Amino acid sequence: MRPHRSLLTAAALSGLLLVTACGSADPAGSGKSGGLNPPDLKAPTALGEAEGEVNLIAWAGYVEDGSNDPKIDWVSAFEKQTGCQVNTKTAATSDEMVSLMKTGAYDAVSASGDASLRLIASGDAAPVNTALVPNYADVFAGLKNKEWNSVKGVAYGIPHGRGANLLMYDTEKVKPAPDSWSAVFDKASAHSGKVTAYDSPIYLADAALYLKATKPELGIENPYALDQKQFDASVALLKEQNAHIGEYWSDYLKEVSAFKSGDSVVGTSWQVIANLSRAEGAKVEAVLPKEGSTGWSDTWMVSAKAKHPTCAYKWLDWIISPKTNAQVAEYFGEAPANARSCAETADKNHCTVFHASDEAYWKRVHFWTTPIEQCLDGRTDAHCVPYAKWVQAWTEIKG
């Protein structure tokens, strides 16, 4: 079984209040930051002797040692080469990752963009000296110095990989082939009861992105920076959509089953879901709609309280080394972070299918970033709705 992820739930409310009060990042993705002023922490200038172990928090499928599948193991070679024993805590949500990092018991975490700003703002994640991670030189430029992994030009993590949230449809039941998110919003009634959507408050950004294109009078620039009027419009659109939703999904294996059975015929998806669905006989296609899409990019971050910093840095370099990053990308179903990984994948078409080096493609993807009160689009004359309110609204939308 391939791994899956789920995002923040209502349990995230308390942790999100911290970021609400702490500022924002630069909307252009340059890492220059707007109002986010994290604690004055310093990255190490050199590494010491390996400490013998490293404690990691990771998404399922990111730290495989052969125990789930004997053929899937990139941990054992790391342990043998570095002398660092890997201890892993698999987390199911970003909120769980944030809570675990606060304990100080872990050295590094594979944080998504909806968690990384919180870890930076709270001082739980330390700046990273990329010079101590040799393989960082080969990371795609489009993943470096972004608003979810850097602040004011200072890196707070090492990119792991990326993926886009796509529009998937049944080619026999949805005609003509859709090229717009209107298929799940304004035209959702055409397939009422068989429309599916991602089950997370962050899905509000998908509605905002559609409104950015279809209702320019709202002035939406960044789907994660919504003032009250923009936010209310996004909520209203999702409440309208709710009447046509057959099922919200978070486990992508369930979405594969839904498209295979015909219970779902159109909705939000990932490339790996389309691949698996076709492999199981479903007649589906997945496209990046003309409005663009939301997406995710994960970052390995080091704890400010790391007890094993040298082993943590060795892990950061290992996980983005060409061969290992290729293994992870194929197993999980994502584009690798290391450009040299494309020559190492077992499936030589993997990087083409996942648009690994297509920076024009990724410029159309708005990666998950935690919404905070200081607007991420750079506005200083408005207050944006923080993620805690997104969580509350999501409950109402589904209610």
Side-chain angles (χ1 to χ4, degrees):
M1 178 185 292
R2 285 177 177 263
H4 72 275
R5 71 175 71 204
S6 61
L7 282 184
L8 293 167
T9 61
L13 280 167
S14 60
L16 289 160
L17 295 178
L18 175 62
V19 171
T20 301
C22 288
S24 71
D26 157 64
S30 64
K32 293 181 180 178
S33 178
L36 184 60
N37 292 299
D40 186 20
L41 302 174
K42 304 298 181 184
T45 57
L47 298 178
E49 292 295 320
E51 301 90 356
E53 65 177 326
V54 63
N55 299 319
L56 306 175
I57 306 167
W59 293 114
Y62 275 10
V63 185
E64 292 295 313
D65 61 3
S67 57
N68 291 319
D69 182 336
K71 298 187 296 294
I72 308 299
D73 181 2
W74 47 84
V75 170
S76 296
F78 169 79
E79 293 177 330
K80 183 178 181 179
Q81 179 175 312
T82 65
C84 300
Q85 175 70 37
V86 175
N87 307 308
T88 308
K89 170 66 176 178
T90 300
T93 67
S94 288
D95 189 56
E96 183 181 2
M97 288 183 171
V98 171
S99 296
L100 289 169
M101 281 287 279
K102 288 185 180 301
T103 67
Y106 298 90
D107 301 302
V109 61
S110 63
S112 290
D114 59 320
S116 52
L117 285 185
R118 288 187 284 161
L119 294 172
I120 294 170
S122 64
D124 290 307
V128 169
N129 184 347
T130 57
L132 300 178
V133 185
N135 283 303
Y136 182 77
D138 297 314
V139 168
F140 287 108
L143 283 170
K144 294 179 177 180
N145 298 318
K146 296 302 176 181
E147 65 264 34
W148 60 87
N149 61 28
S150 302
V151 176
K152 300 177 182 177
V154 177
Y156 276 81
I158 301 298
H160 172 102
R162 53 186 167 179
N165 297 318
L166 304 174
L167 174 65
M168 190 163 82
Y169 60 97
D170 185 310
T171 58
E172 293 188 339
K173 299 173 183 176
V174 181
K175 297 181 179 180
D179 66 351
S180 166
W181 288 114
S182 62
V184 298
F185 290 123
D186 293 340
K187 298 179 181 179
S189 60
H191 302 286
S192 189
K194 295 192 174 183
V195 178
T196 186
Y198 192 57
D199 189 3
S200 168
I202 205 71
Y203 185 63
L204 269 135
D206 292 60
L209 185 63
Y210 180 65
L211 292 174
K212 178 179 184 290
T214 57
K215 291 192 175 181
E217 64 272 19
L218 287 170
I220 296 174
E221 294 294 331
N222 182 323
Y224 306 101
L226 306 177
D227 60 33
Q228 194 63 53
K229 182 178 179 180
Q230 296 165 341
F231 180 78
D232 290 345
S234 301
V235 170
L237 180 61
L238 290 183
K239 286 183 175 179
E240 292 174 9
Q241 182 198 53
N242 177 261
H244 307 294
I245 293 289
E247 181 181 25
Y248 292 99
W249 69 273
S250 58
D251 181 338
Y252 70 50
L253 294 176
K254 290 183 178 178
E255 192 183 25
V256 169
S257 296
F259 272 87
K260 186 178 177 181
S261 68
D263 289 340
S264 294
V265 299
V266 65
T268 317
S269 189
W270 299 336
Q271 185 63 56
V272 66
I273 297 176
N275 296 348
L276 290 171
S277 298
R278 284 195 290 265
E280 295 194 15
K283 293 179 171 58
V284 300
E285 291 292 340
V287 298
L288 183 70
K290 60 186 180 182
E291 299 90 359
S293 78
T294 58
W296 42 269
S297 174
D298 293 338
T299 302
W300 281 98
M301 309 179 82
V302 177
S303 171
K305 304 172 184 175
K307 297 179 177 65
H308 313 101
T310 296
C311 281
Y313 267 79
K314 287 182 179 295
W315 173 259
L316 265 57
D317 193 50
W318 177 265
I319 200 64
I320 63 161
S321 60
K323 183 177 180 180
T324 303
N325 203 224
Q327 289 177 291
V328 181
E330 285 196 277
Y331 182 66
F332 191 86
E334 62 188 345
N338 191 320
R340 293 174 59 200
S341 295
C342 292
E344 300 289 342
T345 55
D347 177 0
K348 296 310 176 184
N349 291 320
H350 180 85
C351 282
T352 299
V353 170
F354 285 86
H355 301 272
S357 61
D358 187 354
E359 293 302 336
Y361 178 91
W362 296 112
K363 285 180 180 178
R364 299 172 59 202
V365 178
H366 300 255
F367 291 103
W368 287 337
T369 306
T370 310
I372 55 180
E373 190 172 351
Q374 284 92 350
C375 297
L376 294 168
D377 57 11
R379 282 180 290 172
T380 58
D381 59 348
H383 291 286
C384 282
V385 179
Y387 201 71
K389 298 294 185 182
W390 290 44
V391 175
Q392 294 172 345
W394 186 242
T395 300
E396 296 172 6
I397 289 164
K398 292 175 62 181

